[in-house]
Amino acid sequence: MNEVLALDAVSKRYPDGVVALDDVSVSVTAGELVAVVGPSGSGKSTMLNLAGTLDRPSSGRIMVDGHDVAALPDRQLSALRAGYIGFVFQQFHLAPGCGALDNVADGLLYTGAGLRERRDRAADALRRVGLARRLRHRPHELSGGERQRVAIARAIVGDPGLVLADEPTGNLDSATGDGIMNMLRDLNAAGTTVLVITHDQDLARGLPRRIVLRDGRIVADAAVAS
C-alpha cells in the first residue's frame, strides 16, 4: 500500500523544556481510517500539527505523500499542504462575516483557481455534506453540526489525499457527533485517508485502527477488533 504519512523518530521540544512529542514513529497508508487517542496533554494536537506541516519537529523525519517535509522550501511546503491535506478543527475556524460558500471557497485560495471556479467547487463540496440550501448562510445562522459540515466541506473541497480531523465532535451533542463521524467514514470509504484526533475512547474504538498517545509517546498502535 502507498504510504501517505510517516513519522520517523519524531520529537518536539520547546525552549521551556517541555517535550510534547518524544521519539514517535508511525506510518499511515492510503485509505486508512485511524484514531489518534489520548488524554489532554498527551501530544495529540502536536502530532496533528507536525503531520499537517503546520509545525516542524525538533528532531526526526516526517514524510507526507512521499515528500521529506524538511527538504521542502516554504513555497513548496505550502503547496503540499494546500493541495494534499485537509484540516477539520474542533472550533470550526470559519470566518464570521462570510457565508458558507466563501468559507469553503477560501480552502482553494492557494491553488491558483479563479473565484468562479473556487465557488463552483465549494458549492459542490457543500452539496456533498448536505448543505446545498445553506450556501449563503453565515456561521452564526448555522447550528453547530452545520458549521462542522461547512468545515468538512472546506477540508475536502481540494480533494485532498489526507484529512486530519482534530476533535471533530468535541463541541457537538452525541447525535450530531455521530452524524459527523458517519460523514468522515463515508469520505474514507470514497478513498480519502482520514486521521481523527480525539480524547473520546468510545469514538476511537469505533474506528479500524487506534494509536494511543500518553506523555508524548505511542503506547499502543493496533487494529480495533470488530
Side-chain angles (χ1 to χ4, degrees), residues 30-33 128 156 159-163 184 187-194:
E32 283 200 271
L33 175 56
R128 288 171 63 188
I156 66 174
D159 295 318
L162 173 64
V163 167
L184 291 173
L187 179 65
N188 173 251
T192 303
T193 307
V194 180

Side-chain angles (χ1 to χ4, degrees), residues 187-212:
L187 179 65
N188 173 251
T192 303
T193 307
V194 180
L195 265 69
V196 179
I197 287 78
T198 182
H199 68 276
D200 187 334
Q201 294 284 351
D202 290 336
L203 186 157
R205 279 189 286 269
L207 301 186
R209 177 182 173 192
R210 180 175 54 177
I211 298 170
V212 182

Side-chain angles (χ1 to χ4, degrees), residues 17-206:
V18 171
V19 180
L21 217 60
D22 188 9
D23 196 32
V24 165
S25 294
V26 67
S27 175
V28 177
T29 56
E32 283 200 271
L33 175 56
V34 184
V36 179
V37 64
S40 178
S42 61
K44 304 187 303 301
S45 292
T46 299
M47 182 173 169
L48 176 140
N49 288 337
L50 294 172
T53 75
L54 298 173
D55 198 2
R56 293 183 182 267
S58 304
S59 60
R61 186 173 72 161
I62 299 173
M63 302 287 291
V64 176
D65 191 33
H67 300 278
D68 185 343
V69 170
L72 296 178
D74 287 343
R75 188 168 183 174
Q76 290 184 29
L77 187 61
S78 295
L80 175 66
R81 187 186 308 123
Y84 191 74
I85 305 171
F87 296 92
V88 180
F89 298 103
Q90 178 180 0
Q91 302 295 337
F92 316 133
H93 294 311
L94 303 178
C98 296
L101 185 70
D102 284 331
N103 263 289
V104 175
D106 282 353
L108 296 169
L109 279 174
Y110 299 102
T111 65
L115 178 60
R116 182 170 181 175
E117 180 185 348
R118 295 201 307 271
R119 284 179 168 167
D120 286 346
R121 292 173 66 181
D124 182 62
L126 285 163
R127 291 186 192 102
R128 288 171 63 188
V129 300
L131 292 178
R133 297 184 178 182
R134 295 287 189 270
L135 302 186
R136 303 297 175 185
H137 286 63
R138 296 182 181 184
H140 73 274
E141 299 172 313
L142 301 171
S143 69
E146 287 172 332
R147 278 177 277 169
Q148 191 60 292
R149 282 192 277 166
V150 173
I152 291 173
R154 183 182 56 198
I156 66 174
V157 68
D159 295 318
L162 173 64
V163 167
L164 302 173
D166 189 8
E167 300 283 4
T169 65
N171 284 334
L172 307 175
D173 63 76
S174 58
T176 304
D178 288 345
I180 293 299
M181 286 309 303
N182 287 336
M183 196 172 297
L184 291 173
R185 288 187 182 93
D186 289 345
L187 179 65
N188 173 251
T192 303
T193 307
V194 180
L195 265 69
V196 179
I197 287 78
T198 182
H199 68 276
D200 187 334
Q201 294 284 351
D202 290 336
L203 186 157
R205 279 189 286 269

